Amino acid sequence: THPATLEKERLSEFVPPTSLEANRLKKSSWGVLFTGIVGGMLVAVYAVATPFITPALRRICLPFVPATTKQIENVVKMLQCRRGPLVDIGSGDGRIVIAAAKEGFTAVGYELNPWLVWYSRYRAWQEGVQVSARFYISDLWKVTFSQYSNVVIFGVPQMMAQLEKKLELELEDDARVIACRFPFPHWTPAQVAGEGLDTVWAYDARSFRGRDKALKTRALPVAHSRTGSTQSFLSCWSL
């Protein structure tokens, strides 16, 4: 073989070090880019999913379950001839608050999930009721409901007894409480509408406050009789 040909073959097989370095940098850049994309996706999924998963980790789990059209209709039915501000405890995607605002109520929703609150605000703006429908990120146990005449709650059985006590302490006598899906354990409803999961119970504050007064009144004679028995026993003992 001619020496010139051998030299050409040797040069064709030779790869400059700069080319190797460029290839390594290119592969490294793609690796960093891929890692960044995957990491960003995981962070985004975590940011979106966490507000939905967190309620399941709380002592009392109040999951987000959208209200059905029939449930909303039953709630509106229970609000007929009612006046005053309304609050939805755990307002979710804002359906109840928006429906109440359309009926002329000044309505407020409290929700712990920020994504649902932002979506509710967008929906209220889309429906043209953003002035009368307001939404706040807050824990229901940290809110005072004394300023509301109408209270709506989509609760779970584990929380209803505790919520009873809170509302009894805070609401005025002319207030109405509307429970969806699950009733309050000790109150007697003034009205009931719907059936199954769409059932709605309406309670008037005067009624459940009257119940408490009746219980206290019935308890007084018992205490008195016990006192009387004690006095009789002491009298006999002194004799």
Side-chain angles (χ1 to χ4, degrees):
T1 307
H2 195 274
T5 305
L6 290 174
E7 183 65 18
K8 287 180 180 179
E9 290 177 356
R10 188 179 68 80
L11 290 174
S12 65
E13 293 175 357
F14 174 73
V15 179
T18 53
S19 298
L20 292 174
E21 185 65 22
N23 288 334
R24 280 198 295 268
L25 288 174
K26 188 175 181 180
K27 290 179 180 178
S28 176
S29 299
W30 278 109
V32 171
L33 180 62
F34 178 75
T35 304
I37 291 173
V38 172
M41 291 175 63
L42 290 175
V43 170
V45 170
Y46 176 81
V48 173
T50 298
F52 292 91
I53 296 173
T54 301
L57 305 177
R58 296 166 64 86
R59 185 172 61 86
I60 297 177
C61 174
L62 187 59
F64 165 58
V65 181
T68 65
T69 302
K70 194 62 181 176
Q71 284 171 340
I72 296 173
E73 290 176 0
N74 291 334
V75 170
V76 171
K77 186 185 299 184
M78 294 299 182
L79 293 172
Q80 288 179 356
C81 302
R82 295 286 303 172
R83 294 291 182 271
L86 176 143
V87 61
D88 184 6
I89 303 175
S91 54
D93 60 2
R95 300 183 187 194
I96 294 292
V97 174
I98 292 171
K102 288 181 177 179
E103 294 295 322
F105 289 90
T106 299
V108 171
Y110 289 99
E111 171 61 49
L112 201 57
N113 187 327
W115 295 106
L116 292 176
V117 170
W118 294 330
Y119 176 75
S120 299
R121 290 170 179 169
Y122 166 73
R123 287 287 298 141
W125 171 80
Q126 197 175 42
E127 296 290 337
V129 292
Q130 68 272 18
V131 175
S132 53
R134 302 292 182 87
F135 299 91
Y136 301 99
I137 303 170
S138 184
D139 187 333
L140 70 91
W141 303 111
K142 298 178 181 179
V143 178
T144 300
F145 300 108
S146 57
Q147 69 270 36
Y148 299 105
S149 302
N150 304 281
V151 179
V152 181
I153 173 68
F154 280 73
V156 292
Q158 295 87 344
M159 69 181 291
M160 301 306 275
Q162 187 177 350
L163 188 59
E164 266 186 1
K165 296 177 182 178
K166 178 177 173 62
L167 296 177
E168 284 174 2
L169 290 172
E170 296 177 356
L171 296 181
E172 299 292 335
D173 285 343
D174 61 346
R176 165 163 281 201
V177 182
I178 301 172
C180 306
R181 292 199 182 99
F182 297 101
F184 285 95
H186 303 117
W187 295 348
T188 301
Q191 288 180 274
V192 181
E195 56 184 16
L197 290 177
D198 294 329
T199 305
V200 169
W201 296 264
Y203 305 88
D204 292 328
R206 283 192 181 88
S207 298
F208 55 71
R209 287 238 171 80
R211 165 187 164 275
D212 289 344
K213 290 177 182 176
L215 289 174
K216 290 178 182 177
T217 304
R218 285 199 295 269
L220 285 175
V222 175
H224 178 73
S225 63
R226 286 179 180 173
T227 305
S229 300
T230 304
Q231 289 174 346
S232 299
F233 174 76
L234 292 174
S235 300
C236 293
W237 181 260
S238 63
L239 291 172

